[in-house]
Amino acid sequence: MTRAYNFSAGPATLPEPVLRQAQAEMLEWNGIGASLVEISHRSADFIAVAAQAEADLRTLLSIPDEYAVLFLSGGATTQQALLPLNFAAPGQTVDYVVSGHWGKTAVKQAKPYVTVNVAADGEPGGFRDIPARADWRLSADAAYVHITANETIHGLEYRDVPDVGAVPLFADFSSNIAAEPLDVSKFGLIYAGAQKNLGPVGISVVIVRRDLLERDGQPRADIFDYRSHAARDSMLNTPPTWNWYLLGLTVKWMLDEGGVAEFARRNAAKSALVYQAIDGSGGFYRNEVAVPVRSRMNIPFFLPDEELTARFVAESKQAGLLALKGHKAVGGIRASLYNAMPLAGAQALADFMRDFQQRNG
Ligand code: PMP
């Protein structure tokens, strides 16, 4: 068996020890005579697994007690639709800063329910920079301000948490949660689909300040109500138990490896290798994002033409570097370097890039 380096944007590469443990426990978990995926979510065994995953995530991200942590089925897009339903009164305005494709998606999901004020929009500039805080036109009475902490397709990442005053800041951390230390107390709500840094697709994490759960929001079914999910420990209905278990293993692995400070160090080193290969290529490779907001998780870059791009994708695959084709919205190449990608993977990519340029430049 050969596991290649997998640069997929998500679902993405997982830590090999996590996959091995899941494999070993597939037929029988912990001597109970059944797989964990075959038992009730209300069993003491599963409840212990779920509680441990939450405790470990709280440790990993230093989540204060005044925040609830929800584990929900559905992806990040589902949460984007639930935000206005749970936290904005009918007719209330919500502020969105759009810095790429996923910020646009967040606006689209909110629009049926509330008045969306796009406080700043990077699209006229081709999503090459995050709109400067000084240029945001925030509303006086917004229910919340929404940002996308890392734009997975366009490759931009906030380096600092913007100050939005007393209005709660909501952030989509789908593609950079646990990539570096995070001051949760600066946010009203953080959400993330798990399928990049936290484990498998099919489960999302929502970290929400408990006082915000008291807001009435808008008429909605119980199943769309974060307060109900919190009251029932995310077991209002059958949760995605297998995904929750895998998420727990992945979080435990991150703790064992040294936690988010260690991953910040590794992610800086990995992304530097690839950006150096781009910047040192004399223009053969191009990344168009403003340097201060370049993402360490997702690096989009371009070659001189389509033919070279296609050859790069085909030859990199041959060389054991998977899923480097860029998203169709921007084209080119995209390398995703999540926490489970080892430094050797980024090094192999940088080496391949130099070699490819020598042969084709
Ligand atoms: N936000 C961001 C930043 C993402 O990267 C993605 C998925 N790539 C989404 C939202 C949508 O997630 P999902 O497909 O889980 O709904």
Side-chain angles (χ1 to χ4, degrees):
M1 182 194 72
T2 326
R3 277 178 59 79
Y5 292 121
N6 175 7
F7 296 91
S8 173
T13 191
L14 286 171
E16 198 170 310
V18 167
L19 296 175
R20 285 194 188 283
Q21 186 172 344
Q23 181 185 42
E25 295 176 344
M26 185 76 236
L27 290 183
E28 187 190 17
W29 180 84
N30 205 25
I32 64 170
S35 161
L36 194 77
V37 74
E38 299 169 299
I39 65 170
S40 170
H41 58 296
R42 308 217 181 274
S43 64
D45 285 316
F46 181 74
I47 288 173
V49 167
Q52 190 62 49
E54 177 176 339
D56 286 345
L57 188 68
R58 284 183 178 277
T59 304
L60 183 74
L61 300 179
S62 306
I63 301 173
D65 286 344
E66 60 265 32
Y67 286 74
V69 181
L70 308 179
F71 296 86
L72 304 173
S73 58
T77 313
T78 309
Q79 313 316 317
Q80 291 175 341
L82 296 182
L83 298 181
L85 281 177
N86 280 270
F87 301 108
Q92 197 176 7
T93 299
V94 293
D95 285 346
Y96 280 65
V97 176
V98 176
S99 53
H101 175 93
W102 294 110
K104 273 176 83 168
T105 306
V107 168
K108 186 173 161 208
Q109 296 304 321
K111 265 193 168 157
Y113 307 115
V114 279
T115 307
V116 177
N117 169 46
V118 175
D121 187 359
E123 189 156 26
F127 291 135
R128 293 189 179 86
D129 205 349
I130 293 176
R133 172 67 188 84
D135 298 332
W136 296 7
R137 295 171 309 278
L138 299 177
S139 323
D141 55 354
Y144 57 81
V145 179
H146 181 283
I147 62 168
T148 311
N150 183 69
E151 284 287 353
T152 321
I153 294 175
H154 289 91
L156 304 97
E157 182 177 19
Y158 280 82
R159 302 301 332 168
D160 302 300
V161 181
D163 182 358
V164 295
V167 179
L169 181 63
F170 287 13
D172 179 354
F173 267 89
S174 292
S175 47
N176 64 341
I177 193 161
E180 66 179 342
L182 175 69
D183 185 352
V184 172
S185 72
K186 290 189 169 155
F187 298 87
L189 182 146
I190 287 168
Y191 66 98
Q195 65 265 29
K196 291 105 168 35
N197 264 349
L198 293 182
V201 68
I203 188 162
S204 294
V205 166
V206 177
I207 302 165
V208 54
R209 225 174 59 210
R210 292 185 200 275
D211 63 298
L212 293 169
L213 293 173
E214 301 306 318
R215 288 194 184 177
D216 286 337
Q218 309 189 47
R220 59 197 181 278
D222 205 27
I223 199 71
F224 298 147
D225 183 41
Y226 284 147
R227 196 190 310 168
S228 302
H229 284 289
R232 300 283 292 276
D233 294 328
S234 305
M235 297 202 196
L236 185 60
N237 68 327
T238 317
T241 53
W242 174 249
N243 315 55
W244 200 333
Y245 153 78
L246 286 175
L247 183 151
L249 294 184
T250 308
V251 169
K252 173 78 168 49
W253 173 80
M254 289 192 270
L255 285 174
D256 291 346
E257 291 290 302
V260 285
E262 171 61 16
F263 282 101
R265 199 185 59 71
R266 292 184 194 177
N267 291 331
K270 287 184 290 176
S271 55
L273 285 172
V274 178
Y275 283 120
Q276 279 158 14
I278 295 169
D279 295 340
S281 72
F284 183 76
Y285 299 113
R286 281 179 298 112
N287 168 278
E288 299 177 342
V289 174
V291 172
V293 298
R294 279 174 161 184
S295 171
R296 294 152 312 157
M297 294 283 103
N298 311 98
I299 306 181
F301 60 90
F302 302 93
L303 284 88
D305 60 49
E306 290 299 324
E307 200 229 307
L308 280 171
T309 305
R311 199 182 305 164
F312 185 100
V313 171
E315 289 187 15
S316 58
K317 190 172 172 196
Q318 286 296 319
L321 309 172
L322 304 186
L324 284 162
K325 192 174 190 320
H327 190 278
K328 60 182 183 319
V330 295
I333 304 293
R334 173 175 52 169
S336 296
L337 305 172
Y338 299 123
N339 286 2
M341 172 61 66
L343 184 70
Q347 185 66 61
L349 172 58
D351 290 346
F352 175 83
M353 288 169 70
R354 290 204 183 81
D355 177 61
F356 185 86
Q357 183 182 359
Q358 256 166 25
R359 288 184 286 108
N360 296 281

